[in-house]
Amino acid sequence: MRKNGSREISFSQYRTTDLFLFAVIVAVAELFAFAATVWFPEEAIFSFSFMLPLALTVMMRWGWPSVFYAVGSGLIYCALHSCSWQYFLAWSVGNASIIVVLAYLIPIGKERVAKSWLLSLGMVLIAWAAMVLVRSAVFAAATGAGYVQALAYFCGISTDSGLLTLVMGMLSVIVIRRFDGLFEDQKAYLVRIGKMREEQRKRDTFGEELAEIDEEQLSILNNDDGELY
């Protein structure tokens, strides 16, 4: 327990809580997207999903567990729309393909990606391209349709993987990364916050940092007779 009565939690508890909250957010986002097509069926000529920015945010925070959020989002989408098993397969495998983004993050580094809006958008583009290409391939293989036709379908504005999803994903990431610690590896974030709190604690305990004294001032203080006046 802390002195002010607040409770400290372990890193594993923090991680579990954070992952749970993002799982709820992903589920709610899919439910709202589905509700929009029910409430406005005639106006719903296009569709998009917030799966990409949410899953990629989890990837920045925790790494590979983000794949479960992408796959889960696809399963919820297919279940709500009563899709056939071919769609379930295409959405599940296609969404899982965002794992390739780790091959982009590891050599560059999460910190560098988080600080650069251009690298962040590149991350979204890679995830979207992998998802569309794999979805199209799996769907074509499962249904016997042509790959080009499947690719054209999944890039269309009527699916949740179309170009509109790419644009919304990029805009969302631009906004998300502006919030301190949100689009950041959480181990690095907690270490950074810990250092900031430690520095603040030292200032509270010992006051502001000592002022620098140049050599001329030091010579005055250390005069021959040892007196200041």
Side-chain angles (χ1 to χ4, degrees), residues 187-218:
K187 286 185 178 179
Y189 170 71
L190 293 175
V191 169
R192 178 167 64 84
I193 294 300
K195 289 181 179 179
M196 292 175 59
R197 289 177 176 174
E198 180 63 20
E199 292 175 358
Q200 183 62 47
R201 186 190 65 80
K202 289 180 179 179
R203 286 195 293 268
D204 293 341
T205 303
F206 302 106
E208 296 296 330
E209 296 180 359
L210 295 177
E212 294 185 0
I213 302 177
D214 58 28
E215 293 183 1
E216 183 178 354
Q217 292 173 318
L218 187 60

Side-chain angles (χ1 to χ4, degrees), residues 115-176:
K115 291 181 178 179
S116 169
W117 66 268
L118 189 60
L119 292 176
S120 298
L121 295 185
M123 179 182 178
V124 180
L125 180 60
I126 292 173
W128 177 82
M131 179 183 69
V132 171
L133 293 173
V134 175
R135 273 188 186 178
S136 302
V138 174
F139 186 78
T143 61
Y147 179 73
V148 175
Q149 290 81 1
L151 185 61
Y153 168 72
F154 284 109
C155 288
I157 62 173
S158 61
T159 67
D160 75 325
S161 60
L163 292 174
L164 185 57
T165 289
L166 173 61
V167 174
M168 295 301 296
M170 287 182 168
L171 292 176
S172 298
V173 166
I174 289 176
V175 174
I176 290 172

